[in-house]
Amino acid sequence: MGSCFSAESRSPLSGLPLSPHPAFDYRKKRNSRKKPGSVDFRKEEQLHRIPGRLFLNGSSGVASLYTQQGKKGTNQDAMIVWENFGSRTDTVFCGVFDGHGPYGHMVAKKVRDHLPLKLSAHSEVNISSEDVLREISLNTAGSVNSEETALISADKDSRASVDLDVTEKNPDIFKTLKESFLKAFKVMDRELRLHTNIDCFCSGTTAVTLVKQGPYLVVGNVGDSRAVLATRDKDNSLKAVQLTVDLKPNLPAEAERIRNCKGRVFALHDEPTVARVWLPNNDAPGLAMARAFGDFFLKDFGLISVPEISCRCLSEEDEFIVLATDGVKEPTWILIQNTDI
C-alpha cells in the first residue's frame, strides 16, 4: 500500500533519469514462461476449515476483524485470528499483513497462512536463539552484505525491546515464545525466497503479529504496521499505548545497518519526511520500510525480516489490543479483547 516508489513516475533529483536495475530485466525474462501466483486451493481449503481460525470480516468472543477495499485496485492486506492456537484453550494468535509490490497481496496471504504454522511448530521444539544465530553465522561466513549477517545485529536490537522485569518474573514462557518468533520469521522468509509460484523479488509484506497466552503477550513486528494497547489510567479513562515501533529507514539503527550493507537511505524532494531504501548504484526501488518479508532484491543491502519482539504481562487495566495497517482509505485491523481479567 504505497510502500514502494514508482521508478517511472519521478526522479529523486530534478532532471536525473532513473536507470533500471539489471535484475529487473533478468526477472522479467526468467518469469516470462510461467504465470506467477498460482495457488494450491486444496491446502488453502484445509486451512480455512480449521475451527477457530478467522481471516475474513467478522467477530468472535475474543476478537473482531475488519478490512476495507479501497479504490486503488487489489486490497493487498491480509489478517488472521487463530483461537486455541497450538491446541491451547488459553492461547490466541493474531496477525495483520500489509503487502506491497506487484504480488504483495499474494505474499501477504502466504505469510498469513504459513507463519502461524511455523510459529506453532517451533514453539514445541527446543531451539534457542543462540542456535539460530549460530546456524546463520555458519551459513554466511565471508558474506558482508547478506541479510543473515544483518540478522545477527538485529537480534541484539530485538533483545533490547523485551521488558526485562516481565521476562525475569516469567522467564520460560517469554523465552520460548521469543525464540519461536525468531525461528519462524527466519524460516518463513527463506520459504518465500524458494517459492516458485509467487514472485517475491520486488514484492513483500509487513507483519505485526502477537501470541496471547493467558495474561502473557508477545508481539513480533516487521515493517510499519502497528500494535496498540488500550488501557485505563488512574482516572479510568482509556489511553493508547503503542506496543511496536514503525521500523522505517529513518530510524538511526535501521539506517546504519542499511548503509553498512551498501544500501542507501534518503527521501525525495517532494516527500522530505518519507525516508526510503535504495539500491547502491540505482535509484530504485524506494522502499519506505527497513524490515519486510520478501523484497529479495534488497535483502543484500540491509533490508531484513527479523522481528522486533516485545513482551508484556496484561493487567486488569488493559482492555484490548489493536493490530492495524497504516492505510487510511484501505484500513485493516484486528481488535483483541483482554479476557483474562
Side-chain angles (χ1 to χ4, degrees):
M1 291 179 58
S3 296
C4 285
F5 173 72
S6 175
E8 289 80 7
S9 60
R10 289 172 296 174
S11 171
L13 298 176
S14 179
L16 179 63
L18 295 179
S19 55
H21 191 266
F24 293 143
D25 294 334
Y26 164 75
R27 295 291 294 197
K28 186 175 181 181
K29 292 177 182 177
R30 200 188 78 168
N31 292 326
S32 59
R33 297 183 181 179
K34 68 177 182 179
K35 183 179 181 180
S38 57
V39 178
D40 189 333
F41 292 103
R42 187 178 303 173
K43 290 183 179 179
E44 271 200 356
E45 187 177 356
Q46 291 175 347
L47 279 173
H48 297 342
R49 288 183 176 180
I50 295 175
R53 184 183 181 276
L54 311 174
F55 62 97
L56 300 174
N57 287 356
S59 62
S60 67
V62 174
S64 298
L65 305 84
Y66 178 79
T67 187
Q68 177 176 305
Q69 174 65 52
K71 297 180 180 180
K72 296 194 302 182
T74 303
N75 185 346
Q76 294 191 300
D77 296 348
M79 57 186 181
I80 183 173
V81 171
W82 195 330
E83 300 177 30
N84 302 321
F85 185 65
S87 300
R88 295 183 59 104
T89 58
D90 65 341
T91 303
V92 59
F93 171 88
C94 302
V96 165
F97 313 92
D98 186 353
H100 53 263
Y103 304 107
H105 56 297
M106 296 177 183
V107 181
K109 289 180 180 179
K110 176 74 174 180
V111 176
R112 176 199 68 188
D113 290 345
H114 290 261
L115 180 63
L117 298 175
K118 301 182 189 313
L119 185 60
S120 178
H122 289 299
S123 66
E124 300 180 12
V125 179
N126 187 21
I127 303 175
S128 70
S129 56
E130 286 74 16
D131 291 334
V132 175
L133 296 176
R134 190 178 302 112
E135 176 190 348
I136 293 170
S137 180
L138 290 174
N139 290 341
T140 59
S143 176
V144 176
N145 285 339
S146 67
E147 180 201 8
E148 289 79 2
T149 303
L151 289 176
I152 297 174
S153 61
D155 183 65
K156 297 176 183 176
D157 297 336
S158 177
R159 298 178 195 195
S161 71
V162 178
D163 188 327
L164 294 179
D165 184 53
V166 172
T167 54
E168 286 174 0
K169 292 179 181 178
N170 310 276
D172 293 336
I173 183 172
F174 288 125
K175 181 180 179 182
T176 299
L177 285 173
K178 181 196 170 201
E179 291 168 352
S180 299
F181 268 92
L182 286 171
K183 184 67 176 178
F185 274 60
K186 175 180 179 288
V187 173
M188 184 72 249
D189 206 48
R190 177 188 293 172
E191 182 176 305
L192 288 173
R193 184 186 289 271
L194 300 176
H195 202 286
T196 58
N197 293 333
I198 303 177
D199 190 340
C200 302
F201 188 68
C202 303
S203 300
T205 186
T206 70
V208 57
T209 61
L210 68 79
V211 170
K212 180 180 174 294
Q213 186 170 317
Y216 306 120
L217 183 71
V218 177
V219 179
N221 178 51
V222 296
D224 57 2
S225 298
R226 290 187 182 182
V228 179
L229 172 69
T231 188
R232 298 282 179 182
D233 60 16
K234 294 181 180 179
D235 299 326
N236 203 35
S237 299
L238 275 179
K239 67 175 182 178
V241 178
Q242 190 165 333
L243 301 179
T244 56
V245 175
D246 294 348
L247 296 168
K248 293 179 175 290
N250 62 327
L251 295 179
E254 303 295 309
E256 181 181 8
R257 182 191 67 247
I258 292 166
R259 288 173 176 139
N260 286 342
C261 294
K262 309 304 181 184
R264 295 182 297 155
V265 176
F266 62 85
L268 299 168
H269 289 314
D270 57 350
E271 291 180 324
T273 62
V274 183
R276 297 179 180 273
V277 184
W278 308 86
L279 292 168
N281 301 312
N282 296 87
D283 293 325
L287 187 65
M289 62 191 69
R291 305 191 192 193
F293 282 114
D295 296 305
F296 291 111
F297 69 143
L298 282 175
K299 285 291 167 70
D300 282 341
F301 305 108
L303 184 76
I304 60 173
S305 59
V306 178
E308 188 79 0
I309 302 172
S310 60
C311 306
R312 189 182 186 97
C313 186
L314 299 174
S315 68
E316 294 181 353
E317 289 75 29
D318 301 328
E319 294 280 345
F320 57 87
I321 306 108
V322 175
L323 306 182
T325 65
D326 65 349
V328 177
K329 296 182 179 180
E330 297 179 1
T332 296
W333 54 261
I334 295 174
L335 187 150
I336 310 100
Q337 296 180 0
N338 181 18
T339 57
D340 299 279
I341 55 175

